[in-house]
Amino acid sequence: MACCGGCLCCHCCCNEGETRTPEELTILGETREDDDEILPRKDYESLDYDRCINEPFLEVLEGLDNKKAKKYEAIKWILVFAIGVSTGLTGLFVDFFVRLFTQLKFSLVGQSVEECSENGCLALSLLELLALNMMFIFISSVLVLIEPVAAGSGIPEIKSYLNGVKIPGIVRLRTFICKVTGVLFAVAGGLFVGKEGPMIHSGAIVGAGLPQFQSITFKKILFHFPYFRSDRDKRDFVSAGAAAGVAAAFGAPIGGTLFSLEEGSSFWNQALTWKVLFCSMSATFTLNFFRSGINFNKWGSFQLPGLLNFGEFKCTDGDKSCHLWTAVDLAFFVLMGVAGGLLGALFNCINKRLAKYRMRNVHPKARFVRVLESLLVCMVTSLVIFMASVTLGECRDLVSTTNNNTSTQGSVNEEVNSTIRRFFCYNNTYNDMATLFFNPQEVAIHQLFHQNATFSPVTLSLFFVLYFFLSCWTYGVSVPSGLFVPSLLCGASLGRLVANILKINFHMQIYSGTFALIGAAAFLGGVVRMTISLTVILIESTNEITYGLPIMITLMVAKWTGDFFNKGIYDIHIHLKGVPLLEWETEVEMDKLTASDIMEPNLTYVYPHTRIQSLVSILRTTVYHAFPVVTENRDNEKEFMKGNILISNNIKFKKTSVLTRAGEQRRRCQSMKSYPSSELRNVCDEQVVVEPAEEGQDMLQQMLERRYVPYPNLYPDQSPSEEWTMEERFRPLTFHGLILRSQLVNLLIRGVCYAENQSSASQPRLSHSEMTEDYPRFPDIHDLDLALLNPRMIVDVTPYMNPSPYTVSPNTRVSQVFNLFRTMGLRHLPVVNAVGEIVGIITRHNLTHEFLVAKLRQHYITI
């Protein structure tokens, strides 16, 4: 129902050597080879957040009293708590096995390196590291082959889902199993990936699946639970699950709530806020309870709130000249924010090019090629880790003193010192490069934040460069992978480098851990471009409220700097997947357009009483997911017409001011004649003759001719006539409501119809639970056995249609249309004129940035 989205590429040679406009490229689906602009794909469905207030739903409301409403609300709170607890236990499972496999690997390889450093058998140690890492990565990559949507962090997909786009398979149980199992092997395999991003995806899957009490993967898991069988309820639970994932990953329940609000959900209310926060708290304290009990054997102590903990930032006891940060440091934090934004933009640019290369050269090939790529990245990463630790590290003292006699000596944290690596270093020294590379990433972050001893500036520089490019290469391979921890570690090394330079070269009294934290925030903010939620997440992770101002300033500067060059990494990958994501608001310039400019006037519609033959034909030959329910009243229209004035309810309208489908189509056809390409000139004459396409005929010409042929199946006794005028092909239709494809198929499968010689009152009635029983996998029209249907029977769709959907006037400005569509989570928005006639329909694809840009250019051409 909506024509294709716009395209920003406007110079592509035609067969005749002419230049095609973005609108022509949009219709053709072409892009410039040198630009490879990706348009939003039309095969993505939208979620329907708006309630369908039909007769079955009203029957449920009539039987709902205060007692039942409270029961319904209590069930929802119990499910929210269960989602939080389940997400916390999922995080515990991942953390336990990652620690187990990682400790096993590093203990075996570390012991081998210590022994072989004296015996000269380091090659054997390298082989051990390669064998273990590649075995883990092979398992992780094979799991992604089973469920490809489990690859990556899952945050772009969940962000798209919360934005209102249905991503196939994103919240299935099989995806959950592959994601959770795959990420623990990917992290244990030594790749520069994190487990925090996949935790958000895992929490969202728990939120989507737990309230349904059924599974598509395991069909035997099926309970009769009639509640929450709609996109509206499911999307609320997914919001809670995603927030719980953030809370479990970082021990940040408030940050998780803000993440779900900032990055995802379009529609929000106070009740949902409370439920999401409660779910996040449940996840945090479940994980904290079990981790603290298992690691410290102190059940109920609550010492480890999240998978990633930054530790406590404090000065050495007795050092009164030490401060975590001062006002002077803010200037350096701003500069670090600029550097983080620039490096983040560079990271995103390189990763985007790598992703495009994979789309063109890796994904189209056999699936095992993706496994080979993952193993290649694993092998290179393992070689870099081993060779850099053995050859590039420097031996550093555990305790050092600054040159200005300000002592930084003190009791060194025992937990931090227990993770240092002494490869080839003796006499109370340690290998700084091996300490960063031969430890889990969370431990390396702790080293940079809290290690009292110094890291060599050369080591920090090499570590940053190696980690930057390897993590950029890794993000996008076919394994579950997060980006938070690699970005934090990469930025922390940069911040620690800045701190070393300021202390050694400028003799400044600064706290190195603060600069490492700000560097981590700057780089992470430059990559993901999150502000509010990331600020709160980092504050909660540090448990230090005084860091609020510097973190917020750094993230804002990093975002502003990075946005000057490109978008955040998650938005880039959403765009590469062709997801029709709706931003928070449109550009001011778009208000030059109205609803009539962007709507689709070519409608496929049904009548209130339609034969089964027509319904089956419509459903089997179209892919639309909703159909306007209309009637034709041309005789009544003539009675209302008095000269040039249309009289209705004592309000006078000029006939020419009432927009009609035929008038709008004629206007669009006239505007096509102003296109530069001759292919689009004179293709919208009053009479359209459709002839078989000749070989070599331009694809654009064929599509335009087919586009305006009226749909014949609505009129079994008529066929398209060459004599039809524009008014015949776009006849006036009085709008009565909207009915979904899933509802029509459900009515046909359940035999809801009546005979010609009967009254519509004899038609069987379906309850609301019967209408939603198959959610979310409604049957397809192609699964219907046509032999069981009588094509002459009639279906009365009026009890099941939505009689009062949101509608807009043709003169409504695009910003108003956009805000209504996004904030209310709509799927279809009918455009109805002043006399109740539907003149078009607006879907998500009509509101994408690319489509609006194309329509704005068309508007300028017409002017």
Side-chain angles (χ1 to χ4, degrees), residues 375-432:
L375 293 177
L376 174 63
V377 174
C378 173
M379 183 179 67
V380 173
T381 303
S382 301
L383 288 172
V384 168
I385 289 175
F386 190 88
M387 298 305 296
S389 300
V390 172
T391 62
L392 300 179
E394 295 186 17
C395 295
R396 312 290 296 182
D397 294 329
L398 284 176
V399 180
S400 65
T401 304
T402 55
N403 294 336
N404 59 359
N405 296 325
T406 300
S407 176
T408 60
Q409 299 181 13
S411 58
V412 181
N413 189 292
E414 295 181 1
E415 180 183 355
V416 173
N417 281 346
S418 65
T419 57
I420 62 173
R421 298 290 180 242
R422 301 178 181 272
F423 292 177
F424 305 102
C425 294
Y426 309 97
N427 299 326
N428 203 30
T429 61
Y430 70 98
N431 187 321
D432 55 356

Side-chain angles (χ1 to χ4, degrees), residues 80-81 83-85 240-241 244 274-284:
V80 165
F81 175 74
I83 291 170
V85 172
W274 271 113
K275 291 181 178 66
V276 170
L277 181 59
F278 179 66
C279 185
S280 301
M281 288 288 186
S282 303
T284 301

Side-chain angles (χ1 to χ4, degrees), residues 57 212 228 488 511 584 593 642 692 698:
F57 182 81
Q212 301 298 312
F228 316 120
L488 287 171
Y511 187 76
W584 280 102
L593 302 174
K642 305 293 184 182
D698 188 59

Side-chain angles (χ1 to χ4, degrees), residues 159 163 567 571 581-586 818 822 849:
K159 182 176 179 179
N163 190 261
K567 293 184 178 181
D571 290 324
L581 191 78
L582 299 184
E583 301 295 340
W584 280 102
E585 57 186 5
T586 60
F818 187 91
R822 192 186 193 281
H849 176 73

Side-chain angles (χ1 to χ4, degrees), residues 203-394:
I205 298 176
V206 172
L210 190 61
Q212 301 298 312
F213 289 94
Q214 66 179 10
S215 170
I216 302 299
T217 304
F218 301 101
K219 299 186 182 299
K220 291 185 178 181
I221 302 178
L222 181 61
F223 299 93
H224 181 66
F225 192 70
Y227 303 104
F228 316 120
R229 316 293 292 176
S230 67
D231 286 342
R232 183 188 187 93
D233 293 319
K234 188 173 183 178
R235 195 163 142 210
D236 288 348
F237 285 123
V238 170
S239 300
V246 176
F250 298 98
I254 301 176
T257 303
L258 292 176
F259 171 85
S260 188
L261 172 61
E262 178 185 7
E263 290 298 313
S265 297
S266 305
F267 183 80
W268 204 261
N269 56 45
Q270 184 182 14
L272 182 60
T273 304
W274 271 113
K275 291 181 178 66
V276 170
L277 181 59
F278 179 66
C279 185
S280 301
M281 288 288 186
S282 303
T284 301
F285 284 99
T286 299
L287 182 64
N288 198 344
F289 175 80
F290 285 101
R291 284 195 71 205
S292 301
I294 293 173
N295 293 341
F296 300 112
N297 200 24
K298 295 180 179 179
W299 296 93
S301 60
F302 297 104
Q303 300 179 23
L304 297 173
L307 298 180
L308 177 63
N309 299 300
F310 292 161
E312 185 179 1
F313 289 80
K314 63 179 182 179
C315 293
T316 306
D317 294 338
D319 188 2
K320 297 183 179 180
S321 62
C322 174
H323 301 281
L324 293 181
W325 65 279
T326 63
V328 177
D329 297 336
L330 284 176
F332 295 102
F333 296 161
V334 171
L335 294 177
M336 291 174 67
V338 173
L342 293 174
L343 291 170
L346 177 62
F347 184 97
N348 294 353
C349 179
I350 297 174
N351 188 264
K352 181 179 180 180
R353 292 184 177 274
L354 285 172
K356 285 187 174 182
Y357 177 83
R358 289 188 177 107
M359 291 170 63
R360 290 193 301 263
N361 301 288
V362 178
H363 294 172
K365 296 181 180 179
R367 300 178 70 182
F368 75 90
V369 176
R370 304 184 190 184
V371 178
L372 295 179
E373 184 200 15
S374 302
L375 293 177
L376 174 63
V377 174
C378 173
M379 183 179 67
V380 173
T381 303
S382 301
L383 288 172
V384 168
I385 289 175
F386 190 88
M387 298 305 296
S389 300
V390 172
T391 62
L392 300 179
E394 295 186 17

Side-chain angles (χ1 to χ4, degrees), residues 38 132 143 155 166 194 237 294 325 400 413 575 601 649 746:
I38 299 175
L132 289 172
L143 288 170
I155 294 180
K166 186 181 296 184
F237 285 123
I294 293 173
W325 65 279
S400 65
N413 189 292
H575 177 73
N649 297 329
N746 202 0

